[in-house]
Amino acid sequence: MTSILVVEDEETLAESLRYNLAREGYEVTVVADGRLAVEYHRRRAIDLVVLDLMLPGLGGLDVLRQIRSSSDVPVVVVTAKDAEADVVAGLELGADDYVTKPFSMRELISRIRGILRRASRVPRSVDSLVFEGGPVSLDVDRHEVRIDGELVDFRPKEFELLEALLARKGRLVPRQILLEEIWGVPFFGDPKTLDVHIRRLREKVEQTPRSPEWIVTVRGLGYKFADDR
């Protein structure tokens, strides 16, 4: 059974999450404290974390940072309305998605299903598929990326986004296509999610991230991975 850890100190919301996720067939554990969440994650196998960023004691961003130091488990962060800085910080630390309070339980469950579906993709049985462009070599089956021959760690969403761009090297990929392909259809979130992940890709791929040579913005339309020069 798929295991979900809910980290939420608001009792009414925590119980609602427990009830609705359990009704969907998930095994749900709820903790109200950030330190307990980190400890539980260390000791138990978890398939996904729903993490409130506003927690007493150890805050949600610190919890996310500690989880990411040892695991790529999918994380959906929950934050207050208009807390854009927290959203960006969470995404930069490796959160897979986010919702803002108040949120629709149906929307959250839809996002969780999409994340778990992508995380459980079965590797292809055919020969390894490799995309190359500029300094980048991306091996789909091995889930490896090399930059100038050196192995570099990419988080799941970063890997998927880089793959989507490399697979269409030299061609514009519209923003909406990337959002729906990487984060699911329908896409409910803030389109800035894409911009944050593009920035993280450039920091790993480009020699000068602020003047990108390979991951190029097509203003007002989307992005493309440039043809080899």
Side-chain angles (χ1 to χ4, degrees):
M1 181 180 293
T2 300
S3 173
I4 295 179
L5 173 64
V6 174
V7 190
E8 172 59 65
D9 67 316
E10 187 180 326
E11 186 175 348
T12 301
L13 177 56
E15 286 307 310
S16 177
L17 287 166
R18 185 202 303 272
Y19 171 78
N20 283 280
L21 291 172
R23 191 172 63 173
E24 293 295 318
Y26 300 119
E27 179 183 3
V28 185
T29 300
V30 176
V31 298
D33 177 271
R35 296 188 188 281
L36 288 176
V38 172
E39 187 64 25
Y40 188 91
H41 169 261
R42 285 175 179 165
R43 296 189 176 193
R44 304 289 181 89
I46 301 168
D47 296 299
L48 183 138
V49 180
V50 177
L51 174 65
D52 190 353
L53 294 185
M54 297 297 292
L55 295 170
L58 188 67
L61 290 176
D62 288 323
V63 173
L64 178 56
R65 189 177 290 108
Q66 292 196 36
I67 288 175
R68 277 290 169 263
S69 69
S70 62
S71 171
D72 281 330
V73 62
V75 177
V76 179
V77 297
V78 178
T79 186
K81 187 178 181 181
D82 300 327
E84 182 178 326
D86 287 342
V87 168
V88 173
L91 292 171
E92 290 181 335
L93 285 172
D96 294 85
D97 205 346
Y98 72 92
V99 293
T100 55
K101 296 179 181 179
F103 57 84
S104 157
M105 197 64 65
R106 182 178 178 182
E107 173 187 344
L108 175 63
I109 290 171
S110 175
R111 295 198 193 191
I112 287 173
R113 284 175 178 162
I115 290 170
L116 290 172
R117 183 171 60 249
R118 291 189 292 275
S120 64
R121 284 175 178 163
V122 178
R124 297 172 179 84
S125 58
V126 298
D127 291 340
S128 183
L129 178 61
V130 177
F131 292 112
E132 295 182 339
V136 182
S137 176
L138 181 147
D139 189 312
V140 175
D141 293 337
R142 292 177 180 170
H143 208 273
E144 291 181 351
V145 179
R146 293 183 182 273
I147 309 295
D148 290 323
E150 296 292 326
L151 194 61
V152 177
D153 182 56
F154 280 72
R155 290 172 176 149
K157 279 288 185 293
E158 296 171 357
F159 187 93
E160 290 181 42
L161 181 55
L162 183 58
E163 179 186 348
L165 292 169
L166 278 171
R168 304 171 175 92
K169 186 172 65 173
R171 291 182 286 156
L172 163 69
V173 188
R175 292 178 60 87
Q176 192 62 30
I177 295 296
L178 289 170
L179 287 167
E180 293 181 354
E181 189 169 306
I182 309 304
W183 283 273
V185 179
F187 176 73
F188 293 104
D190 188 334
K192 291 178 182 176
T193 298
L194 175 59
D195 302 319
V196 170
H197 282 76
I198 288 288
R199 185 168 72 246
R200 292 196 334 223
L201 284 187
R202 285 171 171 163
E203 288 170 354
K204 295 181 178 182
V205 169
E206 305 281 358
Q207 286 191 344
T208 309
R210 293 192 176 184
S211 300
E213 179 182 3
W214 300 107
I215 301 173
V216 180
T217 300
V218 181
R219 190 172 298 278
L221 297 174
Y223 297 96
K224 70 175 180 179
F225 198 100
D227 280 319
D228 294 329
R229 293 172 174 80

